[in-house]
């Protein structure tokens, strides 16, 4: 069974930075896409960023220019670098992995809390 474990969340002031990590139980090279989602209390889970095995990236308009998604194949880890954080970024952040392109994400982590204070 594939396991994804997020870490790096916490409390930060507006304008600050955090780097989230998603450690996989095995090689992440077998996943065609990996992604970060987030969910605020009482809200639906929204896509934040995606990255493909070929290196393409995609970002939600709300985080473009502030967040960067990346993969470290050797360490089996997905990252999300978050800069210039805003209170509206407050949410639980989840990583996900897809085995077949555009067929939906097959594996999900348990999430890590990010809280941005004003």
């Amino acid at each position: 069974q594939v396991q994804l474990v997020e870490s790096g969340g916490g409390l930060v002031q507006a304008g600050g930075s955090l780097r989230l990590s998603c450690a996989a139980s095995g090689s992440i090279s077998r996943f065609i896409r990996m992604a970060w989602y987030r969910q605020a209390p009482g809200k639906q889970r929204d896509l934040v960023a995606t990255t493909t095995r070929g290196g393409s990236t995609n970002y939600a308009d709300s985080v473009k220019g502030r967040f960067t998604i990346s993969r470290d194949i050797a360490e089996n880890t997905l990252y999300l670098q978050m800069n210039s954080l805003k209170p509206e970024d407050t949410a639980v952040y989840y990583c996900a992995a897809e085995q077949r392109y555009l067929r939906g994400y097959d594996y999900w982590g348990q999430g890590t809390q990010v809280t941005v204070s004003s």
Side-chain angles (χ1 to χ4, degrees):
Q1 181 178 345
V2 174
Q3 294 185 13
L4 303 174
V5 180
E6 301 96 336
S7 62
L11 176 64
V12 64
Q13 293 183 336
S17 298
L18 285 173
R19 189 177 74 163
L20 305 183
S21 299
C22 174
S25 58
S27 176
I28 62 174
S29 63
R30 67 187 185 277
F31 300 122
I32 183 65
R33 282 199 303 170
M34 298 189 74
W36 287 96
Y37 282 75
R38 67 186 182 186
Q39 186 171 27
K43 303 293 185 180
Q44 67 179 11
R45 187 173 299 186
D46 293 325
L47 179 67
V48 176
T50 64
T51 183
T52 70
R53 199 157 51 206
S56 296
T57 58
N58 185 53
Y59 297 91
D61 288 342
S62 59
V63 307
K64 285 181 179 177
R66 300 189 297 120
F67 290 11
T68 303
I69 187 171
S70 62
R71 293 171 293 175
D72 188 327
I73 302 300
E75 298 297 327
N76 298 326
T77 302
L78 177 75
Y79 295 101
L80 184 68
Q81 178 66 47
M82 305 186 295
N83 298 325
S84 301
L85 283 162
K86 304 174 180 179
E88 51 262 44
D89 295 319
T90 295
V92 176
Y93 284 71
Y94 300 88
C95 67
E98 182 183 63
Q99 295 185 106
R100 298 181 66 197
Y101 188 58
L102 300 180
R103 300 299 185 184
Y105 290 94
D106 303 281
Y107 305 103
W108 294 82
Q110 294 298 306
T112 185
Q113 176 71 48
V114 172
T115 303
V116 184
S117 65
S118 59

